[in-house]
Amino acid sequence: MKRLHRKERVAAILKILSDNPNKVISLGYFSDLFQSARSTLSEDIAIIKGVVESLECGVVETIPGAAGGVKYVSGVSKNEETEFINELCNMIKNPTRIIPGGFLYMNDIIYSPDIASKIGIIFSQHFKDKNPDYVITVETKGIPIALMTAKALNVPLIIVRRNSKVTEGSTVSINYVSGSSKRIQTMSLSKRSVEKGSRCIFIDDFMKAGGTANGIIELMREFDSSVVGIGILIESFTESKRLVDDYVSLMKLKSVNEESGEIVLYPSKQI
Amino acid sequence: MKRLHRKERVAAILKILSDNPNKVISLGYFSDLFQSARSTLSEDIAIIKGVVESLECGVVETIPGAAGGVKYVSGVSKNEETEFINELCNMIKNPTRIIPGGFLYMNDIIYSPDIASKIGIIFSQHFKDKNPDYVITVETKGIPIALMTAKALNVPLIIVRRNSKVTEGSTVSINYVSGSSKRIQTMSLSKRSVEKGSRCIFIDDFMKAGGTANGIIELMREFDSSVVGIGILIESFTESKRLVDDYVSLMKLKSVNEESGEIVLYPSKQI
């Protein structure tokens, strides 16, 4: 690569760090790439820390020692998070979203790459200190937000299937009772998916009584692994006892009135 | 925001552009954000174009006119693409991946956020000139690479279900015959998912005879929409006639020998 000036190099380093959130990149890597002395790069990193701070888009950390380097941890400011979740609530509260049965059509929102990315960054802020090895979700609707959470945390995604598939090889399946409908459901995961002793964050788009979350906890036990965090986009009020109590939700859905078109939904943090 | 020096502002602008690939951002937005004159920002953009060129990570385009601005189109160099696909081939050719029935276990690869991101960028390079309105995929395994393609193209993702779900509202379902197994399959999509007259890119992880791709083309016809591109991670050799002929694949799988453990797989471009 041709030699870059500081103003170019600083931008290039931030671009590389930002494309690889939560990944430690050694100064040696940058030194080889840009033919620059480590002392010069340390000054570059100091400038980058200031830029990220000004943009309030996370934090750049320097990790000392032989395995050290620098990493970008993605984030959004408290204000931006609040504004974003308010905006989501307003989008969802549109009566045209009501589907017979009192469900809400949300695919356009939860499958939007932009929105899913931001939700992923918000969840990653909640769970980064749990040092997770994986993000786990159940097919299908939670996959985009779970993938973006995994990207922000720099860990692999695991997708649990509703039925075991021949293309997954040997699987572990469990039956569980859905907390709200009381129906027996199955979930299934390839034996190769998870290493023993892993720490997982479960991410899903919706939670009512928590039967699925509870099922995932049980499934992870079969892998000698544990669920160290649960992130839910929307939790719904339920009269049955909730089966899990330690979780983070971004929004709470109180009621959907099919006749009047009223949807009572608010950010979880307001409570 | 406090006033930034050029070396900081250039990095900040590149970070914002890079987080929003294929999205036109007006100079007015940056002018307000950084309290800088447009002439100053134009010089910043020129520097950023050089940085992106040096990193060979896409291109920054200036769009003139009232609705104009600047956008970052993500990309990888030809060399990087070739190296990456070779690497993927080597990862996949590991005999321990063979699953009874001659399938290959690939979840750790296709669910990796890093790998899925790169595949998404590569597909976006192939299809950006088609001006797509959506990226479309069928649940489940293709979702991560399809989402990352949609992100790079800055268009919404559509996920077709195998069965219609109550939470999707009214759906359009079609039955189609799988090209290789000759079994009748169903796919189903919410009526609200696609606007009439849309241009879609179909992304999937695997294609044999092309029955699913063909089904998607038929399904899109029901929405008065069209499939303007097909991107497949791995195409498999098949003795039946392929049902679609216009597609891009990244790798070709010739054979999997369960006894010897030999997997014949190579980059599609070598042919």
Side-chain angles (χ1 to χ4, degrees), chain A residues 6-264:
Chain A
R6 165 152 284 156
K7 59 180 182 281
E8 297 160 331
R9 203 175 50 237
V10 164
I13 294 172
L14 178 53
K15 165 84 174 125
I16 293 168
L17 289 173
S18 165
D19 283 347
N20 296 282
N22 227 21
K23 187 168 180 174
V24 179
I25 301 179
S26 71
L27 281 193
Y29 171 82
F30 290 122
S31 170
D32 290 348
L33 187 63
F34 298 116
Q35 311 277 303
S36 300
R38 279 161 191 255
S39 53
T40 311
L41 289 167
S42 293
E43 291 168 38
D44 292 346
I45 302 293
I47 295 167
I48 289 170
K49 285 185 183 182
V51 171
V52 169
E53 205 175 292
S54 297
L55 291 177
E56 299 189 83
C57 64
V59 62
V60 170
E61 291 174 8
T62 310
I63 294 97
V70 56
K71 73 170 178 178
Y72 165 67
V73 182
S74 47
V76 295
S77 67
K78 285 287 154 219
N79 273 348
E80 198 183 338
E81 180 176 337
T82 305
E83 256 175 53
F84 171 70
I85 293 171
N86 281 335
E87 222 176 277
L88 280 185
C89 282
N90 290 336
M91 286 170 80
I92 297 169
K93 277 196 291 195
N94 186 330
T96 63
R97 294 193 172 275
I98 299 178
I99 288 170
F103 299 99
L104 295 174
Y105 182 80
M106 299 203 304
N107 291 3
D108 55 325
I109 297 174
I110 57 178
Y111 296 169
S112 148
D114 273 6
I115 294 175
S117 292
K118 208 155 198 173
I119 293 170
I121 291 171
I122 291 171
F123 279 138
S124 77
Q125 280 183 310
H126 280 286
F127 298 121
K128 66 182 156 60
D129 296 333
K130 303 272 186 186
N131 294 314
D133 300 302
Y134 299 98
V135 166
I136 188 165
T137 191
V138 188
E139 58 183 347
T140 295
K141 292 194 173 183
I143 297 174
I145 59 173
L147 179 68
M148 292 307 192
T149 308
K151 169 137 182 88
L153 289 167
N154 186 32
V155 299
L157 173 69
I158 297 168
I159 300 176
V160 175
R161 308 295 295 255
R162 289 291 179 185
N163 300 294
S164 71
K165 304 279 172 189
V166 63
T167 55
E168 310 261 325
S170 326
T171 55
V172 175
S173 291
I174 62 156
N175 295 311
Y176 69 100
V177 179
S178 137
S180 40
S181 70
K182 305 287 181 208
R183 277 185 311 166
I184 291 181
Q185 311 230 26
T186 306
M187 48 172 91
S188 164
L189 183 60
S190 170
K191 276 196 180 166
R192 315 185 179 210
S193 293
V194 185
E195 295 205 21
K196 267 191 186 183
S198 294
R199 300 163 61 82
C200 305
I201 303 290
F202 172 59
I203 298 289
D204 211 354
D205 60 314
F206 200 79
M207 181 169 86
K208 207 165 174 182
T212 305
N214 214 28
I216 291 284
I217 292 170
E218 200 190 314
L219 182 63
M220 285 303 96
R221 257 186 230 126
E222 295 290 325
F223 286 83
D224 295 321
S225 292
S226 57
V227 172
V228 295
I230 297 174
I232 303 291
L233 182 62
I234 299 183
E235 62 169 306
S236 159
F237 278 82
T238 170
E239 290 179 11
S240 29
K241 188 181 169 308
R242 221 183 279 279
L243 298 168
V244 290
D245 44 19
D246 191 10
Y247 60 90
V248 171
S249 76
L250 303 190
M251 292 172 275
K252 295 201 183 200
L253 178 63
K254 183 142 192 227
S255 62
V256 175
N257 188 321
E258 284 186 68
E259 272 177 39
S260 67
E262 196 198 17
I263 299 166
V264 182

Side-chain angles (χ1 to χ4, degrees), chain B residues 39-73:
Chain B
S39 55
T40 311
L41 288 167
S42 294
E43 291 168 36
D44 293 346
I45 303 293
I47 295 167
I48 289 170
K49 285 184 181 182
V51 171
V52 168
E53 206 175 290
S54 296
L55 291 177
E56 297 188 84
C57 64
V59 62
V60 170
E61 291 173 7
T62 309
I63 293 98
V70 57
K71 72 170 179 177
Y72 165 68
V73 182

Side-chain angles (χ1 to χ4, degrees), chain B residues 72-90:
Chain B
Y72 165 68
V73 182
S74 46
V76 296
S77 66
K78 284 287 153 220
N79 273 348
E80 197 183 338
E81 180 176 336
T82 305
E83 256 177 50
F84 171 69
I85 293 172
N86 281 335
E87 221 176 277
L88 279 185
C89 281
N90 290 336

